[in-house]
Amino acid sequence: MDYNSNHRPDSMERITTTESANKFVEEQVKAMKEMIGDKKVLLALSGGVDSSVVAALLIKAIGRNLVCVHVNHGLLRKGESEQVIKVFRDEMNANLIYVDAVDRFLDKLAGVSEPETKRKIIGEEFIKVFQEEAQKLNGISFLAQGTIYPDILESEAGVKAHHNVGGLPKDLNFELVEPVKLLFKDEVRVVGKALGLPDNMVYRQPFPGPGLGVRCTGAITRDRLEAVRESDAILREEFEKAGLFHKVWQYFTIVPDYKTVGVIDGKRSFEWFVVIRAVNTKDAMTATIERIDYDLLERITYRITHEVKHVNRVLFDITPKPTGTIEWE
Ligand code: XMP
């Protein structure tokens, strides 16, 4: 395949089977070996499917000459950073730098309630942290990115500039390595499977760059963020048990900065509420609501109100997009 091309040739077959994925992996590994030689490559590894597949491909091609930087900004879901370390450092022997930037991000975000300002702070801080890590390293020649084909098509059409966390500064002056840039998302997943990545990484639902930050609405506090993370983990566990993992496109919880009165153990409580969102969509431009079984909703409500600290109520958001957006901020 032509590495410099941003256009998918008509002759390129869709990757739908393990066989076609293996062929792609073989070709890419060979091409990357030739391109990179014994030079070093840097990658921001979030643990999302695109960056994970790029990491696995590059580990196959150049082993520890790939330097992965995983920034924990404190807004990831429960267990995500741990999984990145387990899969890449422990199982694949990756050269992985783990950056604990939790305090740094949460201190910067303290008291900030305006959604766009929150997003801006998270994006800018991410770039700063990554840049600082890059400057500590010597002899890096390439920067790898998990750009996929829709990113290229949307950028060309002027639909969106890539402003995601992980959208990295241009002035780092590295050559780019973008091995999945001609693939669609479903193809990236098939390649991820073929590379042996775990299902919950490969079939992960979309997760916004600013992470749980946009689901801890208003000014983020550590205890409310913890309520978002814990309730999200319970929701995911129960949805997976109920067989909804592959069925529902995106599901998560939100904890707004608002308290209501309730009663816990016979005593008045004044605590937050958790909102459940579960949507289906093709392109995220519009979305419909998944009709959740009431028994399941009740089970989740019981668990959240009994297991998550500072929560006394659960609501289910049945607003489609439009008029609601999928995220609350
Ligand atoms: P909305 O809330 O706009 O979300 O209906 C549509 C989809 O986009 C995701 N989302 C983001 N994804 N960076 C991302 O990569 C972001 O800043 C961002 N904000 C929203 C959202 O989770 C949903 O899947």
Side-chain angles (χ1 to χ4, degrees), residues 39-41 65 67 133-141 174:
K39 295 189 178 141
K40 287 190 176 163
V41 180
N65 275 346
V67 183
E133 290 305 316
Q135 273 154 10
K136 286 186 209 159
L137 299 165
N138 289 323
I140 301 284
S141 309
F174 298 129

Side-chain angles (χ1 to χ4, degrees), residues 109 112-119 122 208 210-220 224 252 254-257 277 324-329:
L109 287 162
V112 181
S113 56
E114 207 284 309
E116 289 307 304
T117 313
K118 283 168 70 181
R119 278 173 185 268
I122 298 166
L212 300 181
V214 293
R215 299 173 183 170
C216 186
T217 64
I220 298 170
R224 201 155 45 83
F252 55 88
I254 301 137
V255 184
D257 188 8
R277 194 107 173 96
T325 46
I326 295 175
E327 303 288 347
W328 271 34
E329 279 191 343

Side-chain angles (χ1 to χ4, degrees), residues 19-33:
E19 203 186 4
S20 52
N22 285 337
K23 187 163 163 267
F24 173 83
V25 170
E26 207 179 290
E27 279 173 14
Q28 288 301 321
V29 166
K30 184 163 174 276
M32 286 194 296
K33 272 186 176 159

Side-chain angles (χ1 to χ4, degrees), residues 119 160 163-165 206-211 214-215 249-250 252 277 279 281 283-285 287 321 324-329:
R119 278 173 185 268
K160 64 175 176 191
H163 58 257
N164 209 356
V165 167
F207 188 56
V214 293
R215 299 173 183 170
W249 194 79
Q250 194 175 18
F252 55 88
R277 194 107 173 96
V279 300
T281 177
D283 55 8
M285 301 301 284
K321 177 179 181 178
T325 46
I326 295 175
E327 303 288 347
W328 271 34
E329 279 191 343

Side-chain angles (χ1 to χ4, degrees), residues 65 97 135 199 273 303:
N65 275 346
I97 299 171
Q135 273 154 10
D199 270 13
F273 59 89
R303 282 198 60 193

Side-chain angles (χ1 to χ4, degrees), residues 156-170:
E156 282 177 356
V159 175
K160 64 175 176 191
H162 284 278
H163 58 257
N164 209 356
V165 167
L168 296 168
K170 306 248 174 316

Side-chain angles (χ1 to χ4, degrees), residues 137-329:
L137 299 165
N138 289 323
I140 301 284
S141 309
F142 295 90
L143 182 71
Q145 282 190 331
T147 312
I148 63 173
Y149 204 43
D151 298 335
I152 292 180
L153 297 178
E154 284 176 354
S155 288
E156 282 177 356
V159 175
K160 64 175 176 191
H162 284 278
H163 58 257
N164 209 356
V165 167
L168 296 168
K170 306 248 174 316
D171 57 353
L172 279 174
N173 259 335
F174 298 129
E175 253 187 90
L176 286 182
V177 182
E178 297 177 302
V180 296
K181 74 175 175 183
L182 296 186
L183 304 193
F184 290 99
K185 194 83 176 188
D186 56 322
E187 298 178 300
V188 179
R189 294 193 208 277
V190 181
V191 171
K193 271 298 278 182
L195 285 163
L197 293 175
D199 270 13
N200 63 351
M201 201 169 237
V202 168
Y203 297 107
R204 227 167 82 136
Q205 46 177 314
F207 188 56
L212 300 181
V214 293
R215 299 173 183 170
C216 186
T217 64
I220 298 170
T221 58
R222 286 169 195 252
D223 46 2
R224 201 155 45 83
L225 182 60
E226 219 32 49
V228 180
R229 195 178 341 260
E230 291 299 324
S231 56
D232 173 75
I234 291 172
L235 181 79
R236 284 194 287 144
E237 194 186 314
E238 291 296 330
F239 267 43
E240 280 157 33
K241 261 199 257 167
L244 297 177
F245 178 57
H246 284 287
K247 183 166 179 266
V248 186
W249 194 79
Q250 194 175 18
Y251 45 92
F252 55 88
T253 61
I254 301 137
V255 184
D257 188 8
Y258 194 89
K259 289 185 174 177
T260 71
V261 175
V263 57
I264 295 179
D265 296 332
K267 288 199 199 89
R268 178 187 190 272
S269 73
F270 186 52
E271 303 283 15
W272 297 307
F273 59 89
V274 165
V275 179
I276 296 173
R277 194 107 173 96
V279 300
N280 288 312
T281 177
K282 282 208 159 49
D283 55 8
M285 301 301 284
T286 62
T288 56
I289 301 307
E290 173 73 15
R291 292 187 169 218
I292 307 295
D293 173 63
Y294 254 73
D295 291 341
L296 175 61
L297 277 177
E298 280 179 357
R299 205 157 51 242
I300 293 169
T301 300
Y302 183 88
R303 282 198 60 193
I304 289 177
T305 50
H306 287 74
E307 293 174 34
V308 182
K309 282 194 195 125
H310 306 300
V311 169
N312 64 4
R313 197 181 286 278
V314 175
L315 312 181
F316 180 42
D317 182 359
I318 58 164
T319 319
K321 177 179 181 178
T323 53
T325 46
I326 295 175
E327 303 288 347
W328 271 34
E329 279 191 343

